[in-house]
Amino acid sequence: MLASISPERLAEILDVAEDGIITVDAQQRIVLFNRGAANLFGYHPSEVLGQPLDLLIPTRFRGTHSDDVKAFAAGPVAARPMGLRRVVTGLRKDGTEFPAEVTICKLVAEGDLLLTAIVRDAVERKKYETALLQLNQELEERVRQRTSELAERNLQLMQKTEENEMFVYSVSHDLRSPLVNLEGFSQELQLAVNDLATLLSDDRIPSDIRSRAKELLSSGIEESVGFIRTAVNRLGRIIDALLRLSRAGRVEYRLQLVDVQLVAQRVVDSLRSTAAAHKAEVVIGTLPPAWGDPDAVEQILANLVSNALKYLDPARPGRVEIGSPPPSADQKTLTYFVRDNGVGIPAAYSTKLFQAFQRLHPDKAPGEGIGLAIVRRVLERLGGTIAVESRAGEGTIFTFTLPAESSRHP
Amino acid sequence: MIHKPLVILLADDDDGHAHLIQRNLKRAGVVNRIERVKDGQEALNFVREGKSDAPLLLLLDINMPRVDGVEVLRQLKADPATSSIPVIMLTTTDDPREISRCYQLGCSVYITKPVRYEEFAEALSRLGLFLEIVKLPDPPHATAVPTTSA
């Protein structure tokens, strides 16, 4: 190929290139030095032809550079970029240094080994690299800031929740007092009604007055009192539920390693008669220990298991299973589930499930509908999570996580 | 020995609650005199002035204005002259922390409102007070012969 182009033409072509092109022989002496190289290094070609390549390398790098070139010459690769980051340092005639991007290739021509280096000023590239690094650092700083802002916000939200709970607690507490009067005096009314009824059965009272009085008593007073008592009863249960709910957020936890297996057994034992009444079977798998408060964990399991027993399907024998899937790789959280084959929860209600006072089947079983709200709050406080999967008519599985002992902060 | 019948001192700021308690006890046949005061200071005054010289049983509501039930308890227990007066605390809540506060101060018995007779009787037996009541089917005029233990 080279033979078809005259040497003068070749030199012209090489001089048109902006990059520096330097060719050395097997002894690393410069045999070709184009105009680009001359501009880069500040030498006239006549000053460097025949000189060692080292002339163009700062003293401190000469050793490694020379070795590198020898290795390349001896090796199998025909062309590659030089240096670890493809940037080598070049030494100009005036003594100044500059970063250079270098690609070298080798050629055997008429028995001689020739190595050619294409050299480019890497100052621009260095600028880009520096800018990129700076941008990276800025981004990291911004992320750090944002993370601490989010943590701060989280803390504020937690405080808000606690304030809310204190408020709910103190209001519910204050409501108890008038409730005592409502309950007490509606009962007094009932007792007075009973006494009056007894009195009215006296023969000495003319029968027409007696019958009218009885009528008034039963449909007028007794019925009214009945409604009042039912309402007061409900009011009492709601207030108690609110107190329990707010207490779930306020009671102090004693964090420790919890034997979840033991807690589950305790819960199942205490619900034994309920399970028997529903003719349901409750099965406990192997449950690993977790980091938390034993009473809180008991609260979680008691709520989930008793819910499962409440919402069984009469069409099939009830089966409730408490278990734990094989541990995850990260070892920082432990997963548990409570599964049942009961009536299930339609998908439309899954978002409301953990809200307080939402009851899907108010007639099916007694309760105020705060059990799951309590469970969620407790898990939130323990650093765990809860999720539910269900199919109406088939059953439900609640899956919750708790931190492992290894994940706790000192 | 002359036994003077036990006087029940009921301290509660809520008229409704106080009435309910009195009605419940009377209906169950308790004929002991029930004295009603409206706050802790009045209760302390009553105890200290010791007019009647009769043995006392205190029914103390926890939440009262001026001086609350817990403070009354504290003062009574701190004074040897009054520390042996039996006290039943009345509370509207079963918050374990309020209860333990009571216990720490030396009240051994509490009842949550509303006070039903059965709970009252149980509280009495826990205090070691023996109250014999004869219940008659008709409007109760039971003869209560209370005795204090020591």
Side-chain angles (χ1 to χ4, degrees):
Chain A
M1 273 284 227
L2 279 170
S4 53
I5 304 178
S6 67
E8 294 81 17
R9 186 71 4 114
L10 191 61
E12 275 171 32
I13 292 171
L14 292 178
D15 278 345
V16 160
E18 267 196 46
D19 292 342
I21 302 175
I22 305 170
T23 304
V24 298
D25 64 11
Q27 282 73 45
Q28 296 195 31
R29 281 193 303 254
I30 299 170
V31 297
L32 186 119
F33 197 76
N34 77 338
R35 195 166 56 125
N39 289 336
L40 270 178
F41 288 94
Y43 287 107
H44 192 271
S46 58
E47 295 178 280
V48 298
L49 286 173
Q51 295 297 319
L53 186 56
D54 272 356
L55 180 65
L56 307 174
I57 308 288
T59 325
R60 61 190 187 281
F61 295 134
R62 280 179 189 165
T64 38
H65 181 264
S66 169
D67 290 342
D68 213 13
V69 172
K70 276 203 203 113
F72 175 70
V77 183
R80 68 160 170 87
M82 270 203 72
L84 209 62
R85 284 167 54 214
R86 307 198 205 167
V87 175
V88 188
T89 313
L91 180 66
R92 294 197 189 94
K93 180 180 180 181
D94 64 3
T96 57
E97 297 178 6
F98 67 97
E101 252 178 67
V102 181
T103 309
I104 57 174
C105 44
K106 62 184 166 187
L107 171 72
V108 179
E110 289 143 7
D112 296 322
L113 174 72
L114 293 173
L115 301 170
T116 302
I118 317 287
V119 185
R120 181 177 294 178
D121 192 331
V123 158
E124 280 304 309
R125 183 184 140 141
K126 257 245 172 282
K127 271 199 226 153
Y128 289 137
E129 277 181 7
T130 317
L132 202 66
L133 208 68
Q134 216 174 343
L135 193 65
N136 242 19
Q137 282 173 338
E138 269 174 42
L139 279 171
E140 265 179 48
E141 179 57 34
R142 270 200 242 163
V143 167
R144 215 185 342 252
Q145 221 179 341
R146 201 69 172 100
T147 309
S148 84
E149 273 172 31
L150 282 171
E152 170 95 29
R153 189 89 173 92
N154 231 23
L155 201 66
Q156 284 173 355
L157 283 171
M158 278 213 294
Q159 279 173 342
K160 257 265 171 284
T161 308
E162 283 169 15
E163 277 171 24
N164 274 346
E165 278 167 351
M166 288 244 319
F167 177 70
V168 168
Y169 181 79
S170 77
V171 168
S172 312
H173 200 275
D174 292 342
L175 287 173
R176 282 291 215 97
S177 191
L179 190 67
V180 165
N181 282 326
L182 284 171
E183 282 174 341
F185 285 104
S186 49
Q187 212 168 343
E188 292 288 314
L189 275 175
Q190 184 63 55
L191 290 174
V193 161
N194 295 344
D195 287 344
L196 207 52
T198 312
L199 212 60
L200 284 175
S201 57
D202 194 322
D203 288 328
R204 288 171 287 167
I205 304 173
S207 61
D208 59 333
I209 295 182
R210 206 168 356 132
S211 60
R212 283 210 320 265
K214 278 199 171 164
E215 171 76 31
L216 198 66
L217 201 62
S218 67
S219 61
I221 302 179
E222 199 159 16
E223 202 181 40
S224 308
V225 171
F227 279 116
I228 291 175
R229 295 190 75 197
T230 308
V232 165
N233 220 302
R234 172 117 175 88
L235 186 62
R237 289 201 311 271
I238 293 177
I239 291 175
D240 280 344
L242 280 174
L243 278 170
R244 281 204 310 279
L245 185 57
S246 66
R247 206 176 291 165
R250 297 179 65 232
V251 74
E252 267 180 49
Y253 286 161
R254 298 177 326 269
L255 294 179
Q256 56 196 268
L257 190 64
V258 178
D259 185 344
V260 182
Q261 186 84 47
L262 195 64
V263 173
Q265 192 59 59
R266 237 196 343 252
V267 167
V268 171
D269 286 343
S270 71
L271 287 169
R272 197 168 293 283
S273 52
T274 313
H278 287 105
K279 296 201 179 51
E281 180 194 10
V282 184
V283 171
I284 309 179
T286 311
L287 307 173
W291 188 254
D293 176 285
D295 293 335
V297 174
E298 186 164 338
Q299 222 176 357
I300 296 169
L301 285 172
N303 266 294
L304 292 178
V305 176
S306 78
N307 265 5
L309 290 172
K310 268 190 210 173
Y311 299 107
L312 295 172
D313 193 332
R316 51 180 171 270
R319 186 189 149 89
V320 179
E321 189 191 336
I322 310 171
S324 178
S328 67
D330 78 348
Q331 304 259 315
K332 291 224 163 142
T333 55
L334 296 154
T335 310
Y336 308 84
F337 62 80
V338 175
R339 182 186 3 232
D340 69 65
N341 62 351
V343 291
I345 304 159
Y349 293 92
S350 52
T351 49
K352 290 184 146 194
L353 205 57
F354 294 99
Q355 288 175 19
F357 300 112
Q358 299 296 325
R359 296 203 75 214
L360 185 53
H361 302 288
D363 331 296
K364 207 171 194 313
E368 295 314 311
I370 62 161
L372 288 178
I374 288 182
V375 166
R376 183 173 71 165
R377 181 72 178 115
V378 169
L379 278 167
E380 190 177 74
R381 288 187 65 199
L382 290 176
T385 60
I386 184 156
V388 62
E389 256 181 73
S390 182
R391 230 169 271 162
E394 282 182 33
T396 307
I397 174 166
F398 282 92
T399 310
F400 65 94
T401 64
L402 287 170
E405 187 187 13
S406 54
S407 72
R408 64 180 162 126
H409 309 293
Chain B
M1 272 229 275
I2 301 168
H3 293 292
K4 278 202 143 163
L6 197 70
V7 169
I8 299 174
L9 178 62
L10 170 60
D12 198 322
D13 63 321
D14 188 305
D15 289 341
H17 295 191
H19 270 106
L20 284 171
I21 292 170
Q22 290 176 51
R23 286 202 204 182
N24 276 336
L25 295 183
K26 289 218 174 74
R27 206 182 345 257
V30 173
V31 294
N32 306 72
R33 182 160 63 105
I34 302 177
E35 291 289 341
R36 157 91 192 289
V37 292
K38 292 202 177 182
D39 63 38
Q41 193 55 60
E42 286 184 23
L44 286 170
N45 295 344
F46 190 99
V47 171
R48 287 173 183 154
E49 274 145 46
K51 310 173 197 173
S52 53
D53 188 39
L56 282 180
L57 164 65
L58 239 57
L59 287 177
L60 217 50
D61 182 25
I62 291 187
N63 295 315
M64 290 185 290
R66 280 211 292 171
V67 179
D68 70 14
V70 175
E71 178 60 19
V72 172
L73 183 65
R74 202 188 59 75
Q75 290 194 26
L76 290 178
K77 294 297 177 189
D79 183 351
T82 54
S83 62
S84 59
I85 299 176
V87 176
I88 300 177
M89 303 299 285
L90 304 175
T91 161
T92 52
T93 174
D94 54 0
D95 184 345
R97 274 174 311 174
E98 268 202 45
I99 307 303
S100 74
R101 217 169 34 127
C102 273
Y103 284 153
Q104 276 165 17
L105 285 166
C107 101
S108 42
V109 184
Y110 76 93
I111 308 179
T112 48
K113 296 181 189 178
V115 176
R116 277 178 258 278
Y117 178 71
E118 295 76 25
E119 289 156 335
F120 176 71
E122 209 221 287
L124 286 179
S125 71
R126 295 214 340 240
L127 280 174
L129 292 173
F130 303 102
L131 204 70
E132 283 148 19
I133 294 190
V134 179
K135 281 195 179 171
L136 300 171
D138 267 54
H141 44 266
T143 32
V145 184
T147 47
T148 49
S149 57

